[in-house]
Amino acid sequence: MRVLMLTLPMLKSHLYVLAPLAWALRSAGHEVRVACQPDLTEAITSAGLTAVSVGVPMAGAAEEVAAAGPEAAPPPRPLPARNPVQSDYGGDDPWAELDSAVNNFLRHCCPEPMLDDLVGFARSWRPDLVLWDWMTYAGAIAARACGAAHARVLGGTDALVQLRRAWRSGAPDDTRQDPLRAWLEPLLDRYGSDFAEDAVTGRWTVDTQPEWAWRPGGVHRVPVRQLAYNGPSVVPRELDAPPQRPRVCITMGGSQRGGTYSEASPAALLEAVADLDVEVVATFTAADLRDRVLPDNVRTYDYVPLTALLPSCAAVVHHGGFGTMVSALESGVPQLVVPGEFWSNKWYGPVAYANGLQEQGAGVYVADSDRLSPDLLRMHLKEVLDDPSYRTAAERLRREALGTPAPSAIVPALEQLTAAHVPPTCTAPRGHR
């Protein structure tokens, strides 16, 4: 069968979630193409996949966001007395949070010129199945426009479904329009299709999330074990030598680079480990470090593939990103999570992973970045290194993950679900190809 995949254009990490499944489908004999704006075509081909460039670079979307004016800054709020749990997301008004996600982010990721290009390609290539990144709703639109089966692939916590259901169940008499439907319905109509719930959730969901991670119910899920993939890379040879002291990895992922987002500061992270009897490998750029004098026990690298580094580590300190969490889970390494405070990012995985790892005894939710202190991180890191139960629990989670079907094992299920798909009846497109 022909499989079209859609990925978010700004972040390679979303592509890296899809890559193992794309390889599994291709190895099973299926034809696979990955569509995205031009920003990521080089990353797609570097991953050994066939790219389809649609629309214009995301710089156009950035201009659209800028033209809309800056989003109003939220009012100052007191620091919470405790670390949050995933069910806190949306607070008293999940509708407002969902509306913000749709109008300040999601709709800018699939502008109408890109959709025209994507739908045109889908109608000419005729995929049997469209697999779309959980934030790339253009995949659902294109699938319905060409009659293909389609499914979401989660690359984080199912937070948008969480918000939507929290709003519906918490305020059944609320007359405000569903933000996702208000956005998607005119686009579906543009290509001759009616709105249906599968435009939001997919006909089914390829669920990459660990069994212990929080998730909303009521979604048709196909569980799969996410394989850690860090992209094309070279391993520094000096890291092959066994460490003489406990090795600790510190990484804030790609979002930290250049100081774009509100992650934990390198200064605080490095101060926390400066006087510990450990060997620290930190992934910071020169811009992150700003000529800072490093502690004697710290080595920094611009980039290190975590799949190569983490098996030699006693612990990893990170921001809670899905790729980093999966790499640590696959290596059986205890995790200390410090979610960032940029926009709503922490609710799309970091909080849920930090909650789950702590509940399972395989890690610690240290604090959100705005509450982090070097003393707090040092205390928790010493606890994790000194208490062998954290490593035992992390190894248990690694073994449990091995019981979840690998991407190659779910290919037959995807084939069966696609074969059973009955295309929806579509009217003629409203003035578009």
Side-chain angles (χ1 to χ4, degrees):
M1 62 185 180
R2 287 182 166 179
V3 182
L4 177 62
M5 293 182 137
L6 271 292
T7 187
L8 199 68
M10 298 86 71
L11 298 171
K12 292 180 183 179
S13 58
H14 285 242
L15 168 65
Y16 294 167
V17 173
L18 297 174
L21 183 56
W23 297 332
L25 287 160
R26 189 70 191 94
S27 297
H30 300 296
E31 191 173 355
V32 178
R33 296 193 184 181
V34 182
C36 187
Q37 285 97 320
D39 309 72
L40 280 191
T41 52
E42 183 177 349
I44 293 168
T45 57
S46 295
L49 302 170
T50 301
V52 177
S53 178
V54 292
V56 299
M58 276 299 291
E63 292 169 2
E64 184 181 350
V65 173
E71 184 181 359
R77 58 181 176 83
L79 292 177
R82 61 168 176 83
N83 288 330
V85 294
Q86 185 64 32
S87 57
D88 292 337
Y89 186 31
D92 296 329
D93 194 352
W95 181 92
E97 194 74 40
L98 182 60
D99 184 67
S100 175
V102 169
N103 290 299
N104 293 309
F105 178 65
L106 295 174
R107 71 181 182 87
H108 297 290
C109 296
C110 54
E112 291 182 7
M114 182 275 276
L115 284 172
D116 282 344
D117 201 6
L118 175 65
V119 170
F121 171 76
R123 285 176 169 168
S124 63
W125 194 59
R126 307 297 300 177
D128 302 288
L129 172 63
V130 177
L131 296 172
W132 47 280
D133 174 279
W134 55 306
M135 291 186 173
T136 311
Y137 289 87
I141 297 168
R144 290 182 63 82
C146 71
H150 69 102
R152 295 183 304 159
V153 181
L154 289 181
T157 301
D158 207 349
L160 294 170
V161 168
Q162 173 190 354
L163 289 175
R164 197 160 175 258
R165 292 192 174 162
W167 165 56
R168 285 174 160 178
S169 62
D173 299 325
D174 194 332
T175 59
R176 291 176 292 182
Q177 189 174 15
D178 176 359
L180 274 168
R181 179 167 187 165
W183 169 50
L184 293 172
E185 192 163 36
L187 296 177
L188 289 161
D189 180 73
R190 175 185 178 93
Y191 304 109
S193 182
D194 296 326
F195 177 84
E197 283 298 300
D198 67 274
V200 175
T201 61
R203 296 297 297 270
W204 66 90
T205 294
V206 178
D207 189 356
T208 61
Q209 303 301 289
E211 282 300 312
W212 45 263
W214 179 96
R215 54 175 50 78
V219 174
H220 180 188
R221 301 180 186 275
V222 178
V224 66
R225 172 162 50 95
Q226 182 63 39
L227 302 183
Y229 173 59
N230 304 147
S233 53
V234 176
V235 181
R237 289 298 305 275
E238 61 267 26
L239 293 178
D240 290 339
Q244 301 304 305
R245 296 179 289 175
R247 179 177 283 172
V248 175
C249 171
I250 298 178
T251 179
M252 291 292 111
S255 57
Q256 169 68 28
R257 294 176 178 265
T260 305
Y261 302 142
S262 304
E263 306 289 0
S265 75
L269 296 169
L270 296 178
E271 183 181 341
V273 299
D275 60 351
L276 297 181
D277 187 23
V278 295
E279 172 192 310
V280 178
V281 177
T283 60
F284 293 128
T285 65
D288 295 328
L289 295 171
R290 300 175 185 174
D291 298 322
R292 182 175 288 108
V293 176
L294 296 176
D296 292 339
N297 62 343
V298 174
R299 282 185 288 174
T300 63
Y301 295 87
D302 183 279
Y303 178 78
V304 177
L306 296 181
T307 49
L309 171 63
L310 291 183
S312 67
C313 290
V316 55
V317 179
H318 65 92
H319 61 306
F322 182 50
T324 306
M325 184 277 294
V326 167
S327 296
L329 181 65
E330 195 172 272
S331 299
V333 179
Q335 306 180 46
L336 294 95
V337 184
V338 183
E341 275 294 297
F342 175 74
W343 193 51
S344 297
N345 286 9
K346 72 179 184 181
W347 300 111
Y348 292 89
V351 168
Y353 305 147
N355 293 156
L357 287 164
Q358 185 155 301
E359 289 167 1
Q360 294 292 323
V364 174
Y365 189 158
V366 180
D368 291 349
S369 60
D370 59 346
R371 298 178 60 227
L372 180 70
S373 70
D375 288 343
L376 182 63
L377 176 56
R378 184 184 301 111
M379 178 187 72
H380 284 301
L381 181 55
K382 290 175 66 176
E383 175 190 354
V384 168
L385 294 174
D386 292 344
D387 185 345
S389 70
Y390 285 98
R391 169 67 80 168
T392 300
E395 289 284 357
R396 172 176 54 80
L397 293 187
R398 184 190 66 81
R399 292 193 300 271
E400 290 175 0
L402 293 175
T404 304
S408 58
I410 71 164
V411 169
L414 298 183
E415 294 169 343
Q416 293 167 11
L417 288 165
T418 302
H421 170 67
V422 177
T425 301
C426 292
T427 60
R430 279 62 159 173
H432 294 273
R433 60 174 180 241

